[in-house]
Amino acid sequence: MLAYEKLDVYRCSVEFLAAVGQMIDAMPSGTAVLRDQLDRASLSIVANIAEGVGVRTPKERDRHLGSARGSAMECGALLDACRLRALCSIEQQQRGKQMLVRVVSMLTKMMAG
């Protein structure tokens, strides 16, 4: 097991990535831009956490974790856009946001320490 796989924040981010994948798969044609942006941002959270764990200096680590946190915030806004455009249910939006609140909180604590 790699070091980042042991982190709760990583596991929660992967869970969010999977939920986004299901949501994206259900979106109709004509929504490629929004689907792509949500897919990229959700993947960025996971990738930046893994990369941040693998760097040598605290400054580099915080930069990657900050990028992951920024991507999580972006995903929150994209979930709002999906809901406004009736591309996801209220339940999907709320569940996604609950996961993101948890991820952002953990990332913030990791950066503070």
Side-chain angles (χ1 to χ4, degrees):
M1 181 177 277
L2 296 168
Y4 62 84
E5 293 175 299
K6 298 174 187 174
L7 298 175
D8 193 32
V9 69
Y10 179 80
R11 290 191 296 270
C12 290
S13 298
V14 168
E15 182 181 343
F16 177 74
L17 180 64
V20 164
Q22 291 176 345
M23 190 184 312
I24 287 171
D25 288 346
M27 288 183 187
S29 61
T31 59
V33 171
L34 186 54
R35 285 192 325 248
D36 184 58
Q37 191 67 24
L38 185 55
D39 190 36
R40 288 173 184 264
S42 60
L43 183 57
S44 175
I45 300 168
V46 173
N48 274 294
I49 291 169
E51 194 168 359
V53 171
V55 297
R56 294 182 184 261
T57 68
K59 185 177 179 181
E60 284 181 286
R61 181 176 162 265
D62 283 355
R63 183 173 60 82
H64 287 290
L65 297 179
S67 291
R69 187 174 62 182
S71 292
M73 299 296 278
E74 179 182 0
C75 284
L78 292 167
L79 287 176
D80 291 341
C82 288
R83 184 65 206 127
L84 289 170
R85 293 183 178 181
L87 299 172
C88 70
S89 67
I90 292 171
E91 293 79 18
Q92 287 173 312
Q93 179 195 30
Q94 289 174 344
R95 181 173 177 258
K97 287 222 178 170
Q98 286 172 347
M99 286 187 260
L100 290 171
V101 165
R102 189 166 181 223
V103 166
V104 168
S105 175
M106 286 187 278
L107 288 169
T108 301
K109 288 176 185 171
M110 288 174 72
M111 292 173 66

